[in-house]
Amino acid sequence: MARKDSKQKVDSRKNAKNVEISRAAGFCDDFGGFQGGGEGIYLSGNEQAPAAKSPKSAQKPTPTPDDNAILQVYSRLPIIFEKGSGVYLYDAAGKEYLDFGAGIAVNALGYGNESFNAALKAQIDKLLHISNLYYNPPAIEAAKKLAKASGLDRVFFTNSGAEACEGALKVAKKYAYQTGIKSPQIIAMHNSFHGRTLGALSVTGNSAHQKPFKPLLSGVKFAHFNDIASVEKLITPKTCAIILETIQGEGGVTPASKEFLQALRKLCDTHNMLLILDEIQCGMGRSGSMFAYEQYGIMPDIITTAKALGCGVPVGAFVLSQKVADSSLKPGDHGSTYGGNPFVCAAVSKVFDIFNEMKLVQRVAKLTPTLTQTLQELCDSYSFLQSVRGKGFLQGVQIDPKSKIQAKDIVQLAAEQGLIILSASQNVLRFAPPLIITQEHIELMRHKLIRALDRL
Ligand SMILES: Cc1ncc(COP(=O)(O)O)c(C=O)c1O
């Protein structure tokens, strides 16, 4: 597929700066983050870096959908990942992949962070689980750190993002119940994603995801994202909450506009409705602030978080203001056997410490212009890449709907070149790297992506 002729001011491959990334000894960058592991890659602008290393072990057969016991609800790439180091993944044959997907925006610390792993191992030796009938020190610590980071007051730890959204919806319903509202209604957004459990699915604005599972929760109405008039039209005296992602992730990487979010806050205040922000994908530093709403000059009443909260350990949370906590869930209203156990909370607590030590949020803010400019240059070079949108290290590249090119085909070609990227709906390429990447990794991503795009 040819690049744009008229706009071919940037021939990315020819103009590419020589990139030399030596990871043999690991290196420290200006944020003090260690990028270690692996052998050196030497990649110059005119060179093709080796797509694959020679297999270190005998190649294992890739399981096909039919010959293994896993329920096939995903369209998986036929890659078996065995290990990771820094921002690189290695498959069963030893091939190396630069990871700009981070396990779908989870692995903020990349792979093999030694102090994170040591904290997990230490907690395994102390106490894995005790139930919520008692307190445990990691949960107390982790909740304090999450409350402080979010500017909210009360934390309930869950096992996943969907479950955090379930909890937030229950808070909203109980809040409405306390104020005498029967059959409360909730406003959600078209094109949103909040998870696959039935409550979370009920507020997920994607009819294909919903259709086979109806009837879902009643009382949910969908407005158009970034269209305040469409929200206003749906408000009734029974509306108790508005739920949205601060940046729609799965729906195509679309940030809420400042005017929209600020107007939603005002509407919620006027009508005594709760503003629930789902920061499961865009939160925990990915947007360039710890939580994306910090960039909007508003405070939500409830947030949901997960993914990078545990950096690979399965944990989520919903977090409430004290005011909402006082008028909603009480003992007996909600629970989870595993939720907030010592093991996952040791992970959360350590994640916050490492974020501080490595100044990860600042790193994202500093490197965002490099990432967006790199993606913009690719849009300038390839006619089917239309535009870049997103915030921080959650960026989307819109593929021209008029072209026949599918994001998933580019994802596959990129993987063949040793680059992991994601797709999102509306035919968008999604970039969600670990927050520890450096400028050199962005440059290497560009080289690999160009090689993939040139094969279209
Ligand atoms: C914004 C958002 N909310 C909720 C979820 C659901 O999280 P989980 O898959 O952990 O249940 C996701 C997952 O991608 C998400 O991106």
Side-chain angles (χ1 to χ4, degrees):
M1 176 65 62
R3 297 186 188 171
K4 281 179 191 172
D5 287 334
S6 55
K7 291 196 193 173
Q8 210 164 353
K9 40 186 190 253
V10 184
D11 182 327
S12 304
R13 189 185 284 172
K14 279 190 205 136
N15 290 349
K17 284 179 239 141
N18 281 2
V19 180
E20 182 180 292
I21 297 178
S22 173
R23 289 175 294 105
F27 58 86
C28 285
D29 63 13
D30 54 350
F31 291 92
F34 179 73
Q35 316 292 320
E39 293 164 24
I41 288 181
Y42 300 92
L43 175 67
S44 81
N46 299 320
E47 276 172 8
Q48 299 270 319
K53 290 182 168 184
S54 53
K56 286 178 194 148
S57 54
Q59 182 122 22
K60 294 180 190 160
T62 302
T64 62
D66 293 332
D67 72 3
N68 72 88
I70 293 171
L71 183 67
Q72 296 302 325
V73 292
Y74 281 93
S75 310
R76 296 170 202 262
L77 287 183
I79 306 172
I80 305 175
F81 283 123
E82 280 197 341
K83 60 181 183 179
S85 176
V87 296
Y88 293 89
L89 284 163
Y90 299 87
D91 72 13
K95 177 175 168 178
E96 182 178 75
Y97 299 78
L98 175 65
D99 181 18
F100 267 58
I104 321 185
V106 168
N107 301 319
L109 305 179
Y111 303 93
N113 182 297
E114 281 179 14
S115 71
F116 185 53
N117 290 358
L120 300 183
K121 287 173 194 163
Q123 189 58 46
I124 287 172
D125 287 338
K126 270 193 210 156
L127 186 64
L128 270 181
H129 179 79
I130 193 64
S131 94
N132 282 312
L133 301 177
Y134 317 94
Y135 289 101
N136 71 75
I140 294 171
E141 254 181 51
K144 262 196 197 144
K145 290 175 187 174
L146 177 52
K148 185 166 177 233
S150 64
L152 293 164
D153 304 298
R154 296 283 168 176
V155 176
F156 184 96
F157 287 111
T158 65
N159 309 291
S160 69
E163 221 188 305
C165 293
E166 296 286 336
L169 296 177
K170 277 183 76 176
V171 171
K173 288 199 156 206
K174 181 75 193 292
Y175 184 85
Y177 178 84
Q178 299 279 95
T179 54
I181 297 177
K182 302 260 160 44
S183 316
Q185 295 171 352
I186 290 168
I187 297 176
M189 299 296 144
H190 287 297
N191 221 21
S192 58
F193 187 84
H194 298 288
R196 301 293 195 149
T197 53
L198 287 172
L201 186 59
S202 301
V203 290
T204 287
N206 179 321
S207 50
H209 288 341
Q210 286 193 334
K211 199 173 169 196
F213 304 103
K214 290 195 165 177
L216 295 168
L217 270 188
S218 61
V220 179
K221 298 175 179 181
F222 288 93
H224 293 284
F225 195 64
N226 282 337
D227 175 354
I228 196 68
S230 76
V231 179
E232 280 166 336
K233 268 191 234 157
L234 299 179
I235 295 172
T236 74
K238 290 181 174 178
T239 311
C240 68
I242 300 176
I243 182 167
L244 71 154
E245 298 151 85
T246 319
I247 304 170
Q248 288 193 332
E250 304 296 318
V253 193
T254 311
S257 70
K258 203 166 194 174
E259 308 74 63
F260 183 59
L261 214 47
Q262 290 185 346
L264 286 182
R265 179 67 272 172
K266 277 199 189 123
L267 278 180
C268 286
D269 291 341
T270 308
H271 298 275
N272 192 24
M273 304 180 299
L274 300 179
L275 182 60
I276 305 171
L277 290 183
D278 180 339
E279 292 252 350
I280 287 165
Q281 187 158 157
C282 63
M284 294 302 295
R286 183 157 293 284
S287 69
S289 49
M290 183 56 97
F291 291 101
Y293 55 82
E294 291 169 35
Q295 298 174 41
Y296 289 80
I298 57 118
M299 272 303 288
D301 300 296
I302 308 172
I303 64 161
T304 57
T305 172
K307 291 196 185 271
L309 181 66
C311 282
V313 171
V315 55
F318 57 92
V319 192
L320 328 176
S321 68
Q322 188 62 50
K323 177 177 162 253
V324 175
D326 287 342
S327 343
S328 59
L329 301 182
K330 293 285 168 291
D333 280 340
H334 197 58
S336 163
T337 299
Y338 276 134
N341 86 9
F343 180 65
V344 301
C345 286
V348 173
S349 190
K350 193 66 185 175
V351 164
F352 279 110
D353 292 348
I354 297 174
F355 265 61
N356 278 337
E357 284 156 24
M358 291 182 72
K359 298 187 169 50
L360 283 185
V361 180
Q362 295 90 321
R363 173 200 292 263
V364 175
K366 186 173 172 191
L367 280 181
T368 295
T370 308
L371 179 59
T372 49
Q373 192 190 327
T374 299
L375 297 175
Q376 185 55 54
E377 281 175 13
L378 290 171
C379 290
D380 293 343
S381 299
Y382 291 88
S383 56
F384 52 91
L385 299 181
Q386 262 188 335
S387 55
V388 185
R389 58 180 186 250
K391 278 188 190 290
F393 284 2
L394 182 57
Q395 296 288 336
V397 170
Q398 178 70 57
I399 297 171
D400 186 348
K402 291 197 269 333
S403 78
K404 296 259 155 36
I405 291 164
Q406 294 294 308
K408 66 176 170 47
D409 297 333
I410 298 177
V411 168
Q412 179 158 357
L413 286 168
E416 285 166 16
Q417 297 303 319
L419 171 67
I420 297 300
I421 55 173
L422 306 167
S423 61
S425 70
Q426 305 188 72
N427 214 14
V428 166
L429 290 176
R430 185 169 28 149
F431 299 79
L435 308 191
I436 61 168
I437 57 162
T438 63
Q439 197 155 344
E440 286 79 9
H441 295 126
I442 296 174
E443 185 62 13
L444 184 55
M445 178 276 288
R446 185 167 77 97
H447 277 269
K448 286 173 178 281
L449 192 54
I450 286 171
R451 286 209 306 268
L453 295 170
D454 283 349
R455 274 167 178 70
L456 277 167

